[in-house]
Amino acid sequence: MSINFESRYAIGPKEYKTLDTQGLRENFLIEKVFEADKINFVYTHYDRYMAGGAMPVSSKIKLDTIPELLKEPYFLSRRELGIINVGGNGQVEVDGTVYDLNTKEALYIGQGAQEVYFSSKDTANPAKFYLNSTPAHCSYPTKKVTKEGANKIELGSLETANHRTINQMLLNKVVQTCQLQMGMTELKPGSVWNTMPSHTHDRRMEVYFYFELPEGQAVSHFMGPIDETRHIWMHNDQAVISPPWSIHSGAGTSNYTFIWGMAGENLDYDDMDKCAITELK
């Protein structure tokens, strides 16, 4: 089987306060998202969210089920899947229909799809399919969303080092889903802060994936309750789990791009409990 997986149990803010640096990284950081000719997944018990990546190089890869984890005949028996390609141009085949998925293009696949394959168009520049999956209660149509087709929001400014473009790609304004939402935020040159001012949303959890980070640079991802924050240093092509009780902000030593994915009780993107910068501790 070409799928590697890890299961992580959810912990609360009280347990979080007892963790040292290694404990934070073991519980929340996803260090290896991509591996040649493999699919890697982390299954988190926060909303039973799955985050990972598929990197086909020498041949196409099939999205097999994980019997001991999902206990279903195929991966999407009771799940939906969001994909954003962060590598070279590739293709995703869904039950015999082939979708070209170029760099920074997204694909939503609804519950019930039985056969999903990933392939690259150029083995020298392989596709890197970033994957998010959540439980689903019904089936919605597979839909491709280009960057141009995303709902775009401009936020921040260069003066506050957070000028950024939010590309809402797999959002209910663009595509119908059960609970999964995904998008991509691009920071302008000279800006380093994301999601600042910070917020939490107790109705949903998130996973952040950082990429387009230049070699030798890093991002410090901040998490925790607003009065008990910690940080995790992250590198290119790494992801981090954000529990519903935690803020999720980052500051890089360079500008970068990140993908946010979320799931939970509602599909209201603006359902946030905002906190002032001066409240953070």
Side-chain angles (χ1 to χ4, degrees):
M1 187 170 68
S2 60
I3 296 184
N4 300 319
F5 74 93
E6 177 188 351
S7 180
R8 298 187 189 178
Y9 287 99
I11 62 173
K14 289 183 179 179
E15 294 85 354
Y16 148 88
K17 291 181 182 182
T18 69
L19 299 177
D20 59 10
T21 298
Q22 187 58 32
L24 284 175
R25 296 175 72 85
E26 289 175 354
N27 280 277
F28 301 105
L29 178 65
I30 304 175
E31 289 194 75
K32 183 181 283 188
V33 174
F34 297 113
E35 186 176 357
D37 294 321
K38 293 284 186 180
I39 299 174
N40 291 331
F41 267 120
V42 168
Y43 180 107
T44 171
H45 286 260
Y46 296 110
D47 288 300
R48 302 192 178 274
Y49 204 99
M50 295 180 71
M55 184 177 171
V57 179
S58 61
S59 62
K60 67 180 182 180
I61 311 172
K62 183 179 180 182
L63 181 63
D64 284 315
T65 189
I66 306 174
E68 61 270 47
L69 181 68
L70 302 179
K71 300 188 185 300
E72 293 288 345
Y74 40 90
F75 189 94
L76 295 175
S77 294
R78 299 292 302 275
R79 288 186 157 267
E80 57 188 350
L81 178 69
I83 306 166
I84 298 180
N85 184 8
V86 299
N89 296 342
Q91 292 181 325
V92 180
E93 181 180 336
V94 183
D95 288 339
T97 301
V98 176
Y99 299 87
D100 289 324
L101 211 64
N102 297 332
T103 304
K104 293 187 176 180
E105 293 184 335
L107 184 70
Y108 170 79
I109 305 176
Q111 177 213 2
Q114 297 188 28
E115 292 195 337
V116 179
Y117 293 90
F118 304 101
S119 59
S120 297
K121 291 187 176 180
D122 180 3
T123 58
N125 182 27
K128 293 193 290 187
F129 299 105
Y130 178 60
L131 312 174
N132 283 188
S133 177
T134 56
H137 59 272
C138 64
S139 180
Y140 291 117
T142 298
K143 183 176 179 179
K144 175 181 172 179
V145 179
T146 65
K147 188 177 165 185
E148 292 72 27
N151 185 57
K152 297 181 183 295
I153 301 173
E154 292 279 336
L155 288 178
S157 68
L158 186 59
E159 289 74 17
T160 50
N162 65 351
H163 188 197
R164 59 202 189 273
T165 301
I166 300 174
N167 300 278
Q168 297 177 333
M169 303 185 82
L170 304 185
L171 207 75
N172 52 358
K173 295 179 181 178
V174 181
V175 59
Q176 195 168 21
T177 70
C178 289
Q179 63 166 323
L180 178 65
Q181 300 179 79
M182 291 179 73
M184 180 174 59
T185 299
E186 300 170 299
L187 275 73
K188 308 290 186 182
S191 289
V192 297
W193 278 102
N194 76 70
T195 322
M196 184 59 66
S198 298
H199 63 263
T200 59
H201 30 67
D202 202 48
R203 279 71 57 195
R204 297 193 306 275
M205 58 80 65
E206 286 197 58
V207 175
Y208 273 19
F209 169 76
Y210 291 96
F211 71 110
E212 292 193 325
L213 189 64
E215 186 175 355
Q217 305 301 311
V219 170
S220 186
H221 181 86
F222 293 88
M223 66 170 297
I226 63 172
D227 61 348
E228 192 81 34
T229 61
R230 303 284 190 272
H231 69 273
I232 299 175
W233 281 101
M234 299 179 60
H235 302 292
N236 193 50
D237 284 356
Q238 291 186 340
V240 63
I241 299 165
S242 179
W245 43 263
S246 175
I247 66 164
H248 30 280
S249 293
T253 55
S254 168
N255 65 310
Y256 51 87
T257 303
F258 72 97
I259 293 171
W260 43 267
M262 67 178 85
E265 188 172 338
N266 61 41
L267 291 170
D268 182 1
Y269 179 84
D270 295 317
D271 179 12
M272 304 173 186
D273 301 314
K274 298 178 181 180
C275 63
I277 293 173
T278 52
E279 293 181 286
L280 294 170
K281 295 179 182 178

